[in-house]
Amino acid sequence: MHGERRGDEVVVGGDARQRFYDASGYGRPLEGNEVALSRVEAAHLLLRGDVETVADAGERMGFQAFFADSTGDGFGVRFLVYSDLRRRGFYLSPAREGWVPDPAEDVDFVVYPRGKGPQEGDVAYRVRAVGERTAVQATDLGDRVLAVVDEESEVTYFETEHIDVDGGTETDLPEGVPGSLLADRVLLWDPPADLHRRAFYGQQLAEREGVGTDALQLSLLEAAYLAARGAVDVEAGYEGIVDAGRNVEGDRFDRRLRAYAALREAGVVPKTGFKFGADFRTYREVEDVESLGHSERLVRVVPAGHTFLPRDLALDVRLAHGVRKEMVFALVPGESDVEWLAVRRLTP
Amino acid sequence: MHGERRGDEVVVGGDARQRFYDASGYGRPLEGNEVALSRVEAAHLLLRGDVETVADAGERMGFQAFFADSTGDGFGVRFLVYSDLRRRGFYLSPAREGWVPDPAEDVDFVVYPRGKGPQEGDVAYRVRAVGERTAVQATDLGDRVLAVVDEESEVTYFETEHIDVDGGTETDLPEGVPGSLLADRVLLWDPPADLHRRAFYGQQLAEREGVGTDALQLSLLEAAYLAARGAVDVEAGYEGIVDAGRNVEGDRFDRRLRAYAALREAGVVPKTGFKFGADFRTYREVEDVESLGHSERLVRVVPAGHTFLPRDLALDVRLAHGVRKEMVFALVPGESDVEWLAVRRLTP
């Protein structure tokens, strides 16, 4: 079978309609038996030997010439993702006008459920294909699979989804517990025991010794959240705590405080995620710190306009997977509510 | 027992020499039975109740007043690390003139082997204590334990060590294999099989299909390394490959190429570490890609003058630990040889 280049497409005739489109989900049907293939589809069929050559202005190209001729605008990356998904047994279409209904700008491929093709209209994944060095806007993620081609041409898939956070931790806060703001933490010298034991605020100063004080160390985030609700009282006030926070980490403190507060308000308990290189690990339901379960999520806080480098995503998601937690990004906008973006490793 | 503040120290008398120094490794002995305690040692003994008060200008302070009076210059961080190591059963001394021989500027504590104290002169760890927001110079690491206090006052320990990289992979390179530089990779259309199979260069274009071409995709790093040694020949030459690399990742490409070359020259095989968010995963010895073992290390390449944020270190080291690999940073200076810094999680 031989094809012919027409603009950005390759047209194949003969039994193409039955063989390529009906039986294997390639291309978009034209009049009669002809099928138009996108360049990645044509390159894939050339590599498999199902199409022998593509003629362009009289020149007949095999895979090598066609591939070398097609680089630029991410063709190589799209080709590798397309081929990888085909190898995994999926039919898929370029997300282009004429191939799929309602193509979206930030989607490269529409992948059909295994065993199905473009005829049925069901969709398994909407895939965006990028190279590992391409930064990706946070706003372009969610309800998308990000397929990243690394520098050695391997493909890694990330499923991205907007989620709600929701927990079952109920807390009665005390009123006006006095504390001291000391450098980058707040000490409560004689707090009510439930503040730590039930609501899981702070860390006991002498917890593991069984000697010393009952003092509770609060992080600046915990202290600011509690001070804003009248539960903790330090001489410098809520503003003094926030100033101390901004002093050590700038704007980041404000973003983290908003994410922290949104989690607490949803009944979820955030504690530091430092050991995992994240902002928080979170517990859906805490009744007593003595019988604390597994924390379910790792949260990294970023501005809503953040761009992700795929390598950083790979690091976070791989780590979270390794410790059996879900990686969630808190996207913090200027004014409106915090949004939550879950990113998971996907093996299609 | 009561202490008395003298300058930056707290002096205790009575049976202090025997009770604190000889039996428990606190302080430095003065004349007679007196012992001078550093502020962290004094605070620790106050918290335990072994010292009841410290007098300063006539005022007697308990733990709370002494602690609140001592913040600034990282006192809180040092106190938490000191207490944590004591709780773990170690004796340790502040790395100060009079307490230990040859104190180093970037070390806060000298920790003695379990069961030993300052009298014997053996050292288990030299510890630097920092808060999680304090950036640490790469040049200050190696032969040190970095103790990081996170915002919730938990301590995480990282052992840092300069290492040599050394492998057993032997490779005969071919000569002048022709290739095409296509965007951000190089394709060898008809390479000798051993280039991939034995020396583990590149990724086969149609590996898993068993159909298509024998073409090998090289990363720009692999291609540049091979072109510099005459093994691969592309029209744009070595310089053309390096230009393409700089074009997609700037200076970082040059640093990574130097680390890549140093690893290959040492008989170690570096492949992409993308799935782990690192620059490379490395194999000490490759004989045949069909019988490839476990990669032993993850390598992140940084400039020699890099400063680490403890949170980033925590992320890398935790991930490496989870996949049973050693985390190694390649410190790439302007001119001299690449240095290798291994960082491991430590539970003292």
Side-chain angles (χ1 to χ4, degrees):
Chain A
M1 166 100 46
H2 298 272
E4 192 188 324
R5 188 115 178 213
R6 282 194 209 150
D8 200 30
E9 301 174 354
V10 170
V11 175
V12 280
D15 61 354
R17 165 83 195 221
Q18 184 271 325
R19 183 174 161 202
F20 291 146
Y21 180 75
D22 294 344
S24 307
Y26 289 97
R28 75 179 167 88
L30 302 174
E31 307 255 313
N33 279 326
E34 282 192 337
V35 168
L37 302 169
S38 68
R39 284 185 299 148
V40 288
E41 290 175 314
H44 182 75
L45 288 166
L46 281 165
L47 179 65
R48 288 180 60 87
D50 291 330
V51 169
E52 288 160 71
T53 64
V54 169
D56 188 8
E59 190 198 348
R60 282 174 172 264
M61 295 182 282
F63 172 74
Q64 181 172 339
F66 184 80
F67 191 82
D69 192 54
S70 294
T71 56
D73 77 317
F75 173 81
V77 160
R78 289 202 310 282
F79 171 76
L80 290 165
V81 171
Y82 183 89
S83 299
D84 189 69
L85 285 164
R86 277 273 170 189
R87 257 197 304 266
R88 292 170 187 270
F90 289 96
Y91 293 174
L92 65 163
S93 298
R96 291 162 61 169
E97 206 68 64
W99 263 259
V100 300
D102 306 318
E105 213 172 281
D106 57 337
V107 173
D108 292 301
F109 299 113
V110 170
V111 182
Y112 308 109
R114 263 207 183 78
K116 299 203 170 179
Q119 299 86 353
E120 284 91 346
D122 298 342
V123 172
Y125 309 114
R126 295 173 202 283
V127 175
R128 166 110 184 258
V130 297
E132 69 161 282
R133 300 168 182 114
T134 304
V136 179
Q137 288 277 345
T139 45
D140 288 347
L141 297 176
D143 188 27
R144 296 281 179 277
V145 169
L146 187 67
V148 182
V149 177
D150 67 34
E151 63 182 326
E152 288 176 7
S153 310
E154 287 271 13
V155 187
T156 304
Y157 297 89
F158 300 103
E159 191 173 29
T160 69
E161 186 193 358
H162 288 289
I163 60 166
D164 291 324
V165 297
D166 193 19
T169 308
E170 287 170 25
T171 314
D172 289 325
L173 292 182
E175 273 183 41
V177 178
S180 310
L181 173 59
L182 299 175
D184 58 356
R185 60 206 80 222
V186 166
L187 268 87
L188 307 182
W189 300 104
D190 193 18
D194 278 359
L195 192 60
H196 179 71
R197 206 174 57 200
R198 298 239 178 259
F200 206 8
Y201 286 96
Q203 159 93 344
Q204 286 178 305
L205 184 56
E207 179 194 358
R208 275 161 296 188
E209 280 191 335
V211 295
T213 77
D214 294 322
L216 200 58
Q217 309 171 75
L218 299 178
S219 74
L220 292 175
L221 285 178
E222 292 174 321
Y225 178 79
L226 290 170
R229 277 144 195 87
V232 159
D233 192 11
V234 304
E235 203 182 321
Y238 168 79
E239 285 302 333
I241 300 169
V242 171
D243 284 348
R246 287 177 186 153
N247 192 36
V248 288
E249 53 188 38
D251 286 353
R252 199 170 153 251
F253 184 79
D254 292 90
R255 277 195 299 276
R256 295 173 74 231
L257 182 54
R258 284 187 57 199
Y260 181 91
L263 289 164
R264 277 280 181 190
E265 296 300 304
V268 173
V269 175
K271 295 295 283 186
T272 178
F274 177 80
K275 282 178 201 292
F276 309 104
D279 286 298
F280 307 118
R281 65 185 196 278
T282 65
Y283 300 85
R284 226 188 67 75
E285 194 154 358
V286 174
E287 284 189 6
D288 191 316
V289 292
E290 297 293 312
S291 59
L292 204 60
H294 178 74
S295 63
E296 301 90 10
R297 287 177 172 149
L298 295 181
V299 176
R300 183 179 298 288
V301 180
V302 298
H306 185 69
T307 54
F308 291 102
L309 276 175
R311 182 177 304 227
D312 296 336
L313 265 186
L315 184 56
D316 277 338
V317 173
R318 178 73 185 224
L319 187 148
H321 183 86
V323 295
R324 291 174 298 124
K325 302 183 197 301
E326 182 174 52
M327 187 70 216
V328 174
F329 294 90
L331 310 179
V332 183
E335 297 286 331
S336 50
D337 287 348
V338 176
E339 291 189 12
W340 310 94
L341 181 72
V343 183
R344 308 176 194 105
R345 235 176 17 156
L346 177 76
T347 309
Chain B
M1 168 106 37
H2 298 272
E4 193 189 323
R5 187 114 176 214
R6 283 193 209 151
D8 201 29
E9 300 174 355
V10 170
V11 176
V12 279
D15 60 353
R17 166 81 195 226
Q18 184 272 325
R19 184 174 160 202
F20 291 147
Y21 181 74
D22 293 345
S24 306
Y26 289 98
R28 74 179 167 87
L30 302 174
E31 307 255 315
N33 279 325
E34 282 191 337
V35 167
L37 302 169
S38 69
R39 284 185 299 149
V40 287
E41 290 175 314
H44 183 74
L45 289 166
L46 281 165
L47 180 64
R48 288 180 60 86
D50 291 330
V51 170
E52 286 159 71
T53 65
V54 169
D56 187 8
E59 190 198 347
R60 284 174 171 264
M61 296 182 281
F63 172 76
Q64 181 173 339
F66 184 81
F67 191 83
D69 192 53
S70 294
T71 56
D73 79 316
F75 173 82
V77 161
R78 289 202 311 282
F79 171 77
L80 290 165
V81 171
Y82 183 89
S83 299
D84 189 68
L85 285 164
R86 278 273 171 189
R87 257 197 304 265
R88 291 170 187 270
F90 289 96
Y91 293 174
L92 66 161
S93 299
R96 290 162 62 170
E97 206 69 62
W99 264 259
V100 300
D102 306 319
E105 212 173 282
D106 57 337
V107 173
D108 291 301
F109 299 113
V110 170
V111 182
Y112 308 109
R114 263 209 183 77
K116 299 204 171 178
Q119 298 85 353
E120 284 92 343
D122 299 342
V123 173
Y125 309 115
R126 295 172 203 283
V127 175
R128 167 112 184 256
V130 297
E132 69 160 280
R133 300 169 182 114
T134 304
V136 179
Q137 288 277 345
T139 45
D140 289 347
L141 296 175
D143 189 28
R144 296 281 179 275
V145 169
L146 188 67
V148 182
V149 177
D150 67 34
E151 65 182 324
E152 287 176 8
S153 311
E154 287 271 13
V155 187
T156 304
Y157 297 89
F158 301 103
E159 190 173 30
T160 68
E161 185 193 359
H162 288 290
I163 60 166
D164 292 325
V165 298
D166 192 21
T169 308
E170 287 169 27
T171 313
D172 289 326
L173 292 181
E175 273 182 43
V177 178
S180 311
L181 173 59
L182 300 175
D184 59 357
R185 60 206 81 221
V186 166
L187 268 88
L188 307 182
W189 298 105
D190 192 17
D194 278 359
L195 192 61
H196 180 71
R197 207 174 57 200
R198 298 239 179 261
F200 205 9
Y201 286 97
Q203 158 94 345
Q204 287 179 303
L205 184 55
E207 179 194 356
R208 274 160 298 190
E209 279 191 335
V211 296
T213 77
D214 294 322
L216 200 59
Q217 308 172 74
L218 298 179
S219 74
L220 292 174
L221 285 178
E222 291 174 322
Y225 177 79
L226 290 170
R229 277 143 195 86
V232 158
D233 192 12
V234 305
E235 202 181 322
Y238 168 79
E239 284 303 332
I241 300 169
V242 170
D243 283 349
R246 287 177 187 153
N247 192 36
V248 288
E249 54 186 38
D251 286 353
R252 198 170 153 252
F253 184 78
D254 292 89
R255 278 196 297 276
R256 294 172 74 230
L257 182 54
R258 284 187 56 199
Y260 181 91
L263 288 164
R264 278 280 181 190
E265 296 300 304
V268 173
V269 175
K271 295 294 283 185
T272 178
F274 176 79
K275 282 178 200 294
F276 308 104
D279 286 297
F280 307 118
R281 64 185 197 277
T282 65
Y283 299 85
R284 227 187 67 76
E285 194 153 359
V286 174
E287 285 189 6
D288 192 316
V289 293
E290 297 293 314
S291 59
L292 203 60
H294 178 74
S295 63
E296 300 90 10
R297 288 178 172 148
L298 296 180
V299 177
R300 182 179 299 288
V301 180
V302 297
H306 185 69
T307 54
F308 291 102
L309 276 176
R311 183 177 304 227
D312 295 336
L313 264 186
L315 184 56
D316 278 337
V317 173
R318 178 73 184 225
L319 187 147
H321 183 87
V323 295
R324 292 173 298 122
K325 302 184 198 300
E326 182 174 50
M327 187 71 215
V328 174
F329 294 90
L331 310 178
V332 183
E335 298 286 332
S336 49
D337 288 347
V338 176
E339 290 189 12
W340 310 94
L341 180 72
V343 183
R344 308 176 195 107
R345 240 186 0 168
L346 177 75
T347 308

